[in-house]
């Protein structure tokens, strides 16, 4: 704002200066032009005066010649007079002597006062407004004047006499004696003219003319006064005692000047307008710059708000996930028990519901992705029945709570094994069903699943019908707008954001699906979606019964659901502990596991022997997981080997990243036994997988089942410490005491060497290795159940990462380095403490 004021002031000042300059220049130009005009008028006057003088002499010369003749031939008086009249009929010639006797044209001495001067020997010209113009010259006898010879011209002769007709109508000329007395005025000379000539400015101008006449033959001066703008001029009539003076109005001369003046004026106005336009443009540009600035600030604020929102969502979903994890963990413990059928049903419902809930939490996180255009569709193989069961369970509970009947009709001939984004399908169905429940006060909500198959694609069709409030015809167009809620008056009690259908619509678009709405206001609505999905198994889904016990759950008590004694699995991890955990977890599946501690070792092993699955640590010193994978893929006979990445850093988008690198899938460390075996079940050749022998008791070797069986023994076996969450550690060991016991021992034993390495890397600034080793510490700490060390290592790893980042600014690098230096000693101290606490001895 301040800047704009300054700018405006500058522009106004500049305009003012230009205006002043304009006036100055205009004055200068006018002065110069007037000078030039003066010059030209004086030249003109000079020319005219020559002409006038010449013409005047033409009248005077015969008179003087005649006078000369008479002075010697007095007797020729009559003849001379006659001759003069003959020569010049307008001029009545006459002769007058001292006694006032006249001959020829009569002349009273009083009518022309200057006549007297002629008797003193001068040639005169005199003027009488009533009579005319008198030209008179003396006739000498010796030195004395005896007569005066004269001619009287009528006034009309005046122009002719002095060639004054050459002047234009605006120009007035007077013939004067050189001393300034009037000889002959112009025609129609009145008292006004006398007044004009008496005007001060004109007088001053004339004075200047006379002054200049002393040096040149003609002069003209521009005057500007009460009478107006004029040029006054004067010139001597050559060979006479007369001068010619006159004036003309400025405008008569200034025709051209005016046009030049106008052009200058136009140019200046044009410049001013241009400048004004430029100023306005600048002002507008300045304004728009200010606006862009404001916009940028607004965007920054919006970005910050969005960031805060995303952060909040991330935090919240994390906070929610933790208790849900606890619920599902507890529930899993319950499911592992021998249970009455009823209780098992409840527990498996809890399991499905928590799974769906977790998905929703993840979807909340996805909102921000949709908004920023980062939402991705990730297709996988999935079981349609499984998705419907999860959706049905979640929705069924809600419908039941609202006393609504909830029905699912599924075409039993639909293929069950589909390929598509099951998470998004689930999200869409849940959205539509939730809406149906929300906007239905009583009656029923029905989900109809059908589809049309063509080749290997199924056009899956899901129709959600409710007996609710319905949607008005005119509202339907706004149904899929973001934050748009309809019929607000009626729906104000119902919670909602107005995002659900917008997201549903966009997701369907992304998956090439469609959505359609039929509704009768007051009676209910049907939302129908169609979504193309690939079919990967044509086994029909069969009669779908939401309340039926899902197959999966019957097997849920913890035991190896399969064995694969011929399967060969290579575990590659630089960390002994991780290798040990993985191989221990796989023991009950009877798979043949081999361990390699580095990428190089893995490649060597792969050359010697073929494996069905390789579990490959992502981050290892030396050759990392990706490099090892790429090299391994070039080996002979590797094409059927599947590679699973093991990573301690699972972020959103990790999956795509690993698949992009060429991995078949990935597991987050620490992983549970179930996760590991499920993954292997998926990637091992089907013929190697055999059902677990029924005789095998649940929770077979090497460790007994958790908790109840021998609580005092477990507590004694593995130390408990505030630093170590035993339950957490046990979880990662499939609750197998023996494994846990072992890894605690390993953790403790390895600590000295690992601390020494970390110290050395820290001291020598070998941040690459430092990062890898602190990364390893992060996951091993969690595996044994030490959250604080895990957290600290995680932060330290982030600092090392920041320090090593290629695009880090020097200040960020320094900040990261400071952080590393401030925290290293503490972390090592905590590591030592934890190792001590973990030591089973
Ligand atoms: P909300 O969070 O408000 O439910 P949605 O985007 O899911 O947001 O829905 C937008 C609006 O569409 C709702 O506010 C509601 O007015 C209307 N609507 C959605 N589904 C139904 C339905 N089954 N019956 C009646 N109105 C519905």
């Amino acid at each position: 704002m301040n800047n704009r004021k300054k700018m405006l002031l500058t522009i106004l000042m500049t305009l003012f200066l230009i205006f002043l300059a304009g006036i100055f220049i205009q004055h200068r130009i006018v002065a110069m032009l007037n000078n030039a005009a003066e010059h030209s008028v004086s030249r003109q006057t000079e020319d005219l005066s020559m002409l006038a003088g010449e013409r005047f002499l033409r009248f005077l010369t015969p008179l003087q010649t005649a006078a000369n003749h008479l002075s010697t031939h007095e007797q020729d008086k009559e003849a001379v007079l006659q001759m003069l009249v003959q020569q010049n009929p307008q001029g009545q010639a006459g002769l007058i002597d001292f006694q006032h006797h006249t001959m020829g044209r009569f002349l009273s001495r009083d009518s022309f006062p200057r006549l007297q001067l002629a008797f003193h020997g001068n040639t005169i010209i005199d003027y009488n407004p009533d009579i005319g113009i008198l030209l008179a010259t003396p006739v000498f006898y010796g030195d004395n004047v005896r007569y005066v010879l004269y001619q009287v011209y009528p006034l009309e002769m005046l122009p002719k006499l002095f060639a004054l007709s050459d002047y234009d109508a605006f120009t007035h000329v007077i013939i004067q004696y050189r001393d300034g007395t009037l000889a002959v005025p112009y025609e129609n000379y009145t008292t006004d003219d006398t007044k004009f000539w008496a005007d001060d400015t004109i007088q001053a101008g004339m004075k200047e003319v006379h002054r200049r006449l002393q040096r040149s033959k003609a002069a003209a001066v521009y005057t500007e006064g009460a009478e107006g703008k004029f040029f006054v001029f004067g010139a001597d009539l050559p060979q006479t005692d007369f001068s010619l003076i006159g004036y003309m109005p400025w405008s008569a001369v200034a025709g051209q000047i005016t046009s030049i003046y106008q052009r200058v004026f136009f140019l200046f106005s044009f410049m001013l307008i241009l400048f004004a336009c430029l100023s306005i443009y600048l002002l507008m540009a300045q304004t728009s710059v200010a606006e862009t600035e404001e916009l940028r600030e607004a965007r920054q604020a919006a970005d910050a708000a969005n960031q805060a929102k995303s952060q909040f969502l991330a935090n919240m979903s994390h906070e929610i996930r933790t208790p849900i994890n606890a619920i599902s963990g507890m529930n899993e413990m319950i499911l592992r028990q021998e249970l009455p059928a009823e209780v098992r049903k409840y527990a498996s419902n809890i399991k499905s519901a928590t799974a769906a809930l977790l998905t929703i939490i993840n979807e909340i996180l996805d909102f921000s992705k949709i908004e920023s255009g980062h939402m991705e569709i990730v297709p996988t193989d999935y079981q349609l029945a499984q998705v419907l069961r999860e959706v049905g369970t979640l929705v069924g509970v809600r419908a039941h709570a609202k006393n609504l009947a909830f029905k699912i009709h599924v075409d039993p001939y639909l293929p069950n094994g589909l390929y598509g984004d099951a998470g998004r399908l689930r999200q869409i169905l849940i959205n539509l069903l939730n809406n149906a429940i929300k906007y239905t006060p009583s009656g029923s909500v029905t989900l109809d699943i059908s589809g049309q198959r063509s080749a290997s694609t199924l056009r899956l069709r899901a129709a959600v019908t409710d007996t609710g409030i319905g949607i008005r015809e005119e509202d339907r167009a706004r149904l899929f707008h973001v934050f748009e809620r309809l019929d607000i008056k009626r729906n104000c009690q119902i919670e909602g954001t107005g995002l659900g259908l917008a997201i549903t619509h966009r997701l369907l678009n992304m998956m090439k699906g469609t959505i359609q709405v039929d509704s009768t206001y007051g009676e209910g609505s049907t939302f129908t979606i169609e979504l193309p999905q690939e079919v990967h198994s044509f086994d029909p889904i069969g009669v779908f019964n939401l309340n039926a016990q899902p197959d999966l759950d019957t097997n849920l008590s913890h035991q190896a659901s399969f064995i694969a004694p011929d399967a060969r699995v290579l575990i590659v991890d630089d960390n002994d502990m991780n290798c040990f955990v993985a191989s221990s977890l796989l023991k009950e599946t009877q798979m043949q596991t081999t361990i390699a501690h580095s990428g190089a070792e893995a490649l060597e092993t792969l050359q010697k022997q073929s494996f069905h699955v390789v579990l490959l640590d992502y981050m290892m010193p030396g050759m990392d997981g990706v490099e090892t994978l790429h090299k391994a893929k070039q080996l002979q006979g590797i094409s059927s080997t599947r590679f699973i990445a093991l990573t301690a850093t699972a972020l959103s988008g990790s999956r795509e990243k690993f698949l992009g690198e060429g991995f078949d899938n990935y597991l987050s460390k620490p992983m549970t036994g179930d996760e590991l075996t499920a993954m292997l079940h998926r990637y091992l050749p089907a013929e190697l997988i055999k059902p677990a022998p029924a005789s095998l008791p649940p929770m077979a070797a090497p460790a007994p089942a958790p908790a109840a069986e021998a609580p005092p023994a477990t507590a004694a076996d593995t130390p408990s410490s505030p630093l170590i969450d035993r339950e957490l550690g046990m979880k990662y060991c499939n609750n197998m005491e023996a494994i846990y016991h072992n890894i605690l021992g390993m953790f403790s034993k390895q600590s000295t060497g690992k601390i020494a390495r970390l110290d050395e890397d820290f001291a020598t600034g070998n941040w690459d290795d430092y990062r890898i080793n602190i990364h390893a510490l992060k996951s091993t700490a969690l595996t044994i159940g030490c959250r604080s060390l895990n957290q600290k290592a995680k932060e330290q790893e982030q600092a090392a990462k920041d320090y090593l980042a290629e695009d880090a600014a020097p200040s960020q690098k320094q900040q990261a380095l400071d952080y590393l230096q401030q925290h290293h000693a503490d972390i090592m101290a905590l590591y030592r403490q934890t190792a001590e606490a973990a030591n089973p001895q």
Side-chain angles (χ1 to χ4, degrees):
M1 218 47 211
N2 230 355
N3 264 353
R4 281 170 64 183
K5 263 189 193 160
K6 245 191 231 168
M7 179 113 176
L8 201 69
L9 208 72
T10 316
I11 288 170
L12 285 178
M13 286 285 289
T14 316
L15 271 174
F16 181 68
L17 285 177
I18 289 186
F19 184 70
L20 278 187
I23 290 178
F24 174 75
I25 291 174
Q26 186 202 359
H27 267 96
R28 290 289 310 147
I29 287 176
V30 168
M32 274 164 64
L33 289 175
N34 283 341
N35 264 345
E38 277 179 357
H39 196 69
S40 125
V41 170
S42 79
R43 291 283 293 278
Q44 208 181 332
T45 313
E46 189 183 335
D47 288 349
L48 288 173
S49 74
M50 301 261 282
L51 202 65
E54 219 172 81
R55 184 68 66 86
F56 176 58
L57 281 178
R58 229 194 279 165
F59 288 92
L60 196 61
T61 313
L63 198 64
Q64 284 176 331
T65 316
N68 281 343
H69 180 80
L70 276 184
S71 59
T72 47
H73 304 87
E74 198 186 351
Q75 68 281 2
D76 288 346
K77 282 190 268 185
E78 295 244 345
V80 164
L81 290 179
Q82 255 175 28
M83 186 199 70
L84 280 175
V85 171
Q86 250 170 24
Q87 267 182 356
N88 237 330
Q90 294 94 339
Q92 301 154 354
L95 202 62
I96 187 166
D97 63 12
F98 272 94
Q99 280 79 43
H100 299 195
H101 298 127
T102 53
M103 199 180 153
R105 165 70 156 98
F106 171 77
L107 195 65
S108 145
R109 270 179 94 161
D110 305 328
S111 44
F112 293 99
R114 276 215 188 81
L115 189 60
Q116 198 56 38
L117 292 172
F119 283 103
H120 293 154
N122 302 301
T123 297
I124 58 118
I125 175 167
D126 204 355
Y127 164 82
N128 183 323
D130 300 323
I131 302 168
I133 304 147
L134 173 76
L135 295 188
T137 192
V139 177
F140 289 93
Y141 284 96
D143 289 337
N144 301 320
V145 177
R146 177 171 297 176
Y147 303 105
V148 169
L149 184 63
Y150 58 86
Q151 274 187 300
V152 176
Y153 291 90
L155 276 179
E156 309 85 77
M157 270 298 286
L158 186 62
K160 212 169 173 193
L161 211 56
F162 293 102
L164 297 187
S165 54
D166 286 14
Y167 289 92
D168 56 44
F170 308 105
T171 312
H172 296 81
V173 178
I174 294 174
I175 306 297
Q176 276 189 332
Y177 286 95
R178 293 245 163 121
D179 62 5
T181 46
L182 181 72
V184 183
Y186 38 78
E187 281 178 285
N188 311 324
Y189 189 89
T190 63
T191 43
D192 278 351
D193 292 292
T194 324
K195 222 173 96 194
F196 172 85
W197 284 106
D199 179 78
D200 283 348
T201 341
I202 302 296
Q203 284 283 313
M206 275 322 292
K207 221 177 186 171
E208 177 64 19
V209 168
H210 285 296
R211 199 181 62 75
R212 292 188 194 173
L213 278 180
Q214 288 168 5
R215 276 179 283 119
S216 51
K217 292 181 200 154
V221 169
Y222 170 75
T223 67
E224 193 176 337
E227 299 286 336
K229 294 179 186 176
F230 293 97
F231 283 102
V232 289
F233 54 81
D236 291 335
L237 297 183
Q239 302 170 51
T240 68
D241 295 332
F242 303 106
S243 344
L244 171 155
I245 64 157
Y247 74 92
M248 56 175 87
W250 178 81
S251 55
V253 189
Q256 280 173 343
I257 300 180
T258 318
S259 85
I260 293 173
Y261 172 77
Q262 274 168 355
R263 264 176 229 181
V264 171
F265 184 76
F266 168 78
L267 212 71
F268 239 87
S269 311
F270 186 64
M271 261 175 68
L272 268 178
I273 289 169
L274 262 187
F275 186 79
C277 288
L278 189 76
S279 308
I280 290 168
Y281 172 79
L282 278 178
L283 259 181
M284 274 165 57
Q286 168 98 353
T287 313
S288 77
V289 163
E291 274 168 9
T292 331
E293 183 84 349
E294 277 165 26
L295 267 181
R296 201 173 55 81
E297 278 167 16
R299 205 190 57 216
Q300 272 175 355
D303 282 351
N306 203 29
Q307 187 80 22
K309 188 190 75 184
S310 302
Q311 190 61 42
F312 169 74
L313 284 177
N315 289 345
M316 194 190 67
S317 53
H318 177 79
E319 292 302 318
I320 295 174
R321 253 188 231 175
T322 315
I324 292 177
N325 273 329
I327 294 170
S328 76
M330 297 288 177
N331 194 52
E332 193 147 346
M333 302 278 270
I334 294 169
L335 279 166
R336 285 178 191 177
Q337 311 292 322
E338 286 297 327
L339 296 171
E342 187 87 346
V343 179
R344 177 165 298 282
K345 192 180 126 190
Y346 294 146
S348 44
N349 278 348
I350 293 180
K351 187 179 160 71
S352 311
T354 45
L357 196 51
L358 272 178
T359 315
I360 294 175
I361 300 293
N362 289 334
E363 283 162 0
I364 291 179
L365 273 174
D366 285 343
F367 280 6
S368 49
K369 269 195 179 177
I370 277 205
E371 278 173 76
S372 56
H374 288 127
M375 171 64 82
E376 280 165 37
I377 298 300
V378 186
T380 51
D381 292 344
Y382 72 94
Q383 308 278 311
L384 180 58
Q386 174 75 14
V387 171
L388 294 177
R389 192 166 290 120
E390 282 168 7
V391 171
T393 307
L394 186 85
V395 172
V397 174
R398 287 187 193 151
H400 183 70
K402 225 182 147 182
N403 271 331
L404 296 175
F406 175 56
K407 294 173 252 177
I408 298 190
H409 302 143
V410 184
D411 175 356
Y413 296 104
L414 283 181
N416 189 24
L418 300 181
Y419 177 80
D421 195 327
R424 302 293 160 227
L425 173 62
R426 192 188 294 121
Q427 188 176 357
I428 290 169
L429 292 177
I430 289 175
N431 269 346
L432 295 179
L433 286 164
N434 275 347
N435 276 354
I437 292 171
K438 274 201 297 190
Y439 300 106
T440 303
S442 67
S444 65
V445 170
T446 311
L447 174 62
D448 270 296
I449 303 289
S450 57
Q452 249 185 342
R453 243 183 64 195
S454 63
S456 64
T457 306
L458 174 74
R459 196 155 179 87
L460 184 68
R461 182 179 225 274
V464 177
T465 307
D466 63 55
T467 57
I469 59 172
I471 300 158
R472 282 187 293 222
E473 181 83 47
E474 63 266 30
D475 284 342
R476 277 182 219 163
R478 294 185 292 132
L479 211 48
F480 301 109
H481 290 182
V482 179
F483 301 122
E484 197 73 77
R485 306 203 65 212
L486 314 175
D487 218 350
I488 299 288
K489 235 194 240 160
R490 219 167 133 177
N491 295 337
C492 60
Q493 301 283 29
I494 302 170
E495 278 178 35
T497 54
L499 264 177
L501 284 180
I503 287 173
T504 302
H505 190 227
R506 285 185 206 182
L507 288 177
L508 280 166
N509 270 348
M510 287 169 83
M511 297 192 286
K512 301 191 172 60
T514 57
I515 184 163
Q516 186 203 321
V517 190
D518 292 308
S519 184
T520 310
Y521 192 55
E523 289 181 20
S525 321
T526 301
F527 285 77
T528 309
I529 63 154
E530 286 195 5
L531 186 63
Q533 300 278 278
E534 294 293 306
V535 179
H536 83 84
S537 154
F538 290 98
D539 292 345
I541 197 165
V543 177
F544 182 85
N545 183 354
L546 184 60
N547 295 321
Q549 206 58 251
D551 300 345
L552 212 83
D553 287 354
T554 49
N555 280 332
L556 264 179
S557 57
H558 181 76
Q559 63 175 37
S561 51
F562 68 94
I563 57 166
D566 297 326
R568 288 185 302 279
V569 177
L570 176 62
I571 303 164
V572 189
D573 198 316
D574 61 305
N575 189 305
D576 274 345
M577 233 173 80
N578 291 340
C579 297
F580 174 77
V581 172
S583 65
S584 303
L585 289 176
L586 290 179
K587 231 173 215 152
E588 57 183 328
T589 61
Q590 299 178 18
M591 293 175 200
Q592 301 166 30
T593 52
T594 308
I595 288 172
H597 287 101
S598 68
E601 201 181 319
L603 291 177
E604 228 170 81
T605 317
L606 281 169
Q607 265 167 335
K608 284 190 219 142
Q609 202 186 341
S610 77
F611 289 88
H612 298 108
V613 173
V614 178
L615 301 171
L616 184 50
D617 183 23
Y618 185 66
M619 192 179 282
M620 292 185 288
M623 207 186 290
D624 67 8
V626 175
E627 196 183 341
T628 310
L629 173 75
H630 291 169
K631 292 214 167 123
K633 289 248 163 159
Q634 285 160 12
L635 296 175
Q636 294 262 310
I638 206 86
S639 56
S640 61
T641 306
R642 314 300 290 266
F643 288 84
I644 312 294
L646 302 180
T647 173
T649 334
L651 300 169
S652 73
S654 296
R655 198 190 130 80
E656 293 75 39
K657 191 178 82 184
F658 289 120
L659 296 192
E661 295 287 5
F663 284 102
D664 292 283
N665 214 324
Y666 79 98
L667 274 169
S668 307
K669 287 194 289 186
M671 60 262 179
T672 63
D674 285 348
E675 285 167 347
L676 184 57
T677 47
M679 187 64 81
L680 284 163
H681 184 275
R682 189 163 169 190
Y683 289 101
L684 283 172
E687 64 273 15
L688 296 184
I689 293 175
K690 300 186 172 118
S695 57
L696 206 71
M699 303 308 295
E709 275 190 32
T714 45
D717 259 10
T718 50
S720 93
S721 146
L723 277 176
I724 300 171
D725 180 346
R726 190 174 173 281
E727 230 170 80
L728 180 67
M730 282 288 282
K731 183 179 134 197
Y732 294 122
C733 301
N734 258 8
N735 287 320
M736 294 179 191
E737 180 64 42
I739 303 180
Y740 189 46
H741 185 87
N742 263 323
I743 63 158
L744 281 173
M746 287 170 90
F747 182 87
S748 172
K749 218 162 82 196
Q750 288 173 354
S751 64
T752 327
K754 296 220 181 266
I755 290 174
R757 280 214 54 186
L758 280 163
D759 278 342
E760 193 190 322
D761 290 339
F762 178 79
T764 56
N766 180 1
W767 298 114
D768 283 309
D769 284 354
Y770 186 85
R771 182 192 157 196
I772 292 168
N773 289 322
I774 206 90
H775 171 88
L777 177 60
K778 177 177 80 178
S779 70
T780 53
L782 197 58
T783 314
I784 65 155
C786 182
R787 284 204 177 86
S788 52
L789 186 57
N790 163 266
Q791 186 57 33
K792 288 237 157 71
K794 195 168 161 182
E795 286 157 10
Q796 192 76 339
E797 186 200 357
Q798 187 56 48
K801 229 180 190 170
D802 291 347
Y803 177 77
L804 291 169
E806 272 167 22
D807 53 354
S811 63
Q812 285 171 325
K813 258 182 150 38
Q814 189 54 46
Q815 225 176 335
L817 192 62
D818 289 347
Y819 187 94
L820 286 168
Q821 284 167 345
Q822 275 163 24
H823 293 83
H824 174 76
D826 286 351
I827 294 173
M828 292 306 111
L830 184 62
Y831 192 179
R832 261 183 223 106
Q833 261 179 319
T834 314
E836 213 160 280
N839 193 348
Q841 269 82 55

